[in-house]
């Protein structure tokens, strides 16, 4: 973080999230159906394990730059995929309800939505899904005790390009996001802008038999 008064580099373990999904619909095992679709409903927790009170020169570092939030938070999620032949659409939404940490600081609740078109390509050893779509995120303002914090909260929409690779129970996902529109809450002295994003993730499915569906990429 490079600012007018602080130049800080931080690294460490963040807050882990634990999510459990219930497979409400999945007809992909029935080869007679031309249209395949699956619905996953999930919920979970974000655990307060990352450091959230790091300081620089006796002052606490910006809360958004901390490794963790110090709070136990609650997650709700839904993921729907529909596919005909090799072309499909995946839509996912999630909502995170944040609680207060021991310093009486509360991050604003967060809402995310994504929708991606993908192309299903099966090879002998691996299945590849290139995809393109949009991703939207919105967050409420933070609260410090009972006061709302300036320069927190807002919303942004991103164009997303990526690919997933399935092999056995393992999924590798790579994505690149470019902001299309954004409006973050800021005062007259500050300007907050999201830049391009790139991420790589590895997921492991614990089912004995894996029915491949579009995996979560948020």
């Amino acid at each position: 973080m490079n600012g007018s008064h602080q130049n800080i580099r931080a690294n460490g373990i963040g807050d882990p999230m634990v999510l459990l999904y219930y497979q409400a619909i999945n007809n992909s095992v029935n080869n007679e159906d031309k249209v395949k679709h699956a619905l996953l409903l999930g919920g979970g927790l974000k655990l307060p394990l990352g450091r959230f009170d790091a300081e620089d020169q006796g002052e606490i570092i910006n809360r958004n730059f901390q490794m963790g939030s110090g709070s136990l938070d609650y997650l709700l999620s839904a993921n729907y995929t529909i596919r005909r032949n090799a072309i499909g659409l995946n839509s996912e939404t999630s909502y995170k309800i944040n609680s207060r940490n021991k310093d009486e600081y509360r991050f604003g609740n967060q809402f995310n939505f994504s929708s991606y078109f993908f192309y299903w390509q099966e090879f002998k050893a691996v299945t590849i899904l290139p995809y393109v779509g949009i991703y939207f995120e919105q967050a409420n303002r933070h609260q410090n005790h009972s006061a709302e914090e300036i320069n927190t909260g807002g919303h942004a929409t991103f164009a997303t390009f990526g690919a997933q690779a399935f092999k056995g129970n393992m999924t590798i996902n790579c994505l690149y996001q470019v902001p299309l529109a954004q409006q973050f809450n800021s005062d007259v002295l500050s300007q907050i802008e999201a830049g391009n994003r790139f991420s790589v993730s590895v997921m492991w499915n614990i089912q004995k038999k894996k029915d491949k569906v579009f995996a979560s990429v948020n």
Side-chain angles (χ1 to χ4, degrees), residues 129-172:
L129 277 77
Y131 59 89
V132 61
I134 61 168
Y135 169 73
F136 172 80
E137 63 181 20
Q138 185 272 333
N140 297 337
R141 288 184 183 270
H142 301 180
Q143 290 185 343
N144 191 355
H145 294 272
S146 59
E148 287 191 338
E149 288 282 273
I150 62 172
N151 299 327
T152 61
H155 58 84
T157 302
F158 296 81
T160 301
F161 313 88
Q164 292 188 1
F166 297 93
K167 182 176 176 59
N169 281 16
M170 183 174 69
T171 302
I172 298 176

Side-chain angles (χ1 to χ4, degrees), residues 10-216:
N11 60 80
I13 298 175
D15 290 343
M17 290 186 291
V18 179
L19 279 167
L20 294 176
Y21 281 96
Y22 170 71
Q23 188 170 270
I25 301 172
N26 188 357
N27 73 339
S28 62
V29 295
N30 187 351
N31 294 325
E32 296 180 359
D33 293 333
K34 293 183 179 180
V35 178
K36 312 294 185 183
H37 64 122
L39 174 64
L40 302 176
L41 303 176
L45 299 172
K46 185 188 71 63
L47 306 175
L49 297 183
R51 187 177 180 185
F52 67 96
D53 55 359
E55 296 183 351
D56 178 66
Q57 300 179 14
E59 294 185 6
I60 192 163
I61 299 172
N62 186 295
R63 298 283 183 173
N64 289 312
F65 200 64
Q66 302 283 348
M67 293 298 103
S69 67
S71 60
L72 178 67
D73 304 327
Y74 307 92
L75 306 164
L76 299 173
S77 180
N79 186 309
Y80 179 73
T81 303
I82 184 169
R83 176 171 66 94
R84 180 181 175 86
N85 298 324
I87 298 175
L89 174 70
N90 170 265
S91 295
E92 181 174 26
T93 185
S94 64
Y95 191 72
K96 184 156 75 76
I97 304 169
N98 298 317
S99 62
R100 296 182 182 274
N101 61 27
K102 68 178 185 179
D103 293 335
E104 288 298 309
Y105 193 95
R106 180 178 180 271
F107 284 77
N109 293 346
Q110 296 173 314
F111 169 79
N112 300 305
F113 173 79
S114 63
S115 189
Y116 305 121
F117 285 101
F118 63 86
Y119 185 72
W120 185 282
Q121 300 180 86
E122 280 200 52
F123 301 97
K124 185 175 181 179
V126 66
T127 300
I128 305 293
L129 277 77
Y131 59 89
V132 61
I134 61 168
Y135 169 73
F136 172 80
E137 63 181 20
Q138 185 272 333
N140 297 337
R141 288 184 183 270
H142 301 180
Q143 290 185 343
N144 191 355
H145 294 272
S146 59
E148 287 191 338
E149 288 282 273
I150 62 172
N151 299 327
T152 61
H155 58 84
T157 302
F158 296 81
T160 301
F161 313 88
Q164 292 188 1
F166 297 93
K167 182 176 176 59
N169 281 16
M170 183 174 69
T171 302
I172 298 176
N173 182 72
C174 299
L175 69 85
Y176 189 78
Q177 294 180 316
V178 179
L180 298 176
Q182 54 185 297
Q183 184 176 344
F184 295 101
N185 302 323
S186 58
D187 57 24
V188 295
L189 300 177
S190 302
Q191 184 175 0
I192 302 173
E193 291 187 352
N196 296 349
R197 300 174 177 177
F198 174 72
S199 70
V200 177
S201 59
V202 178
M203 292 162 276
W204 185 263
N205 190 297
I206 62 175
Q207 289 179 323
K208 292 182 179 179
K209 180 178 179 181
K210 180 179 176 62
D211 299 319
K212 298 181 183 68
V213 296
F214 194 97
S216 170

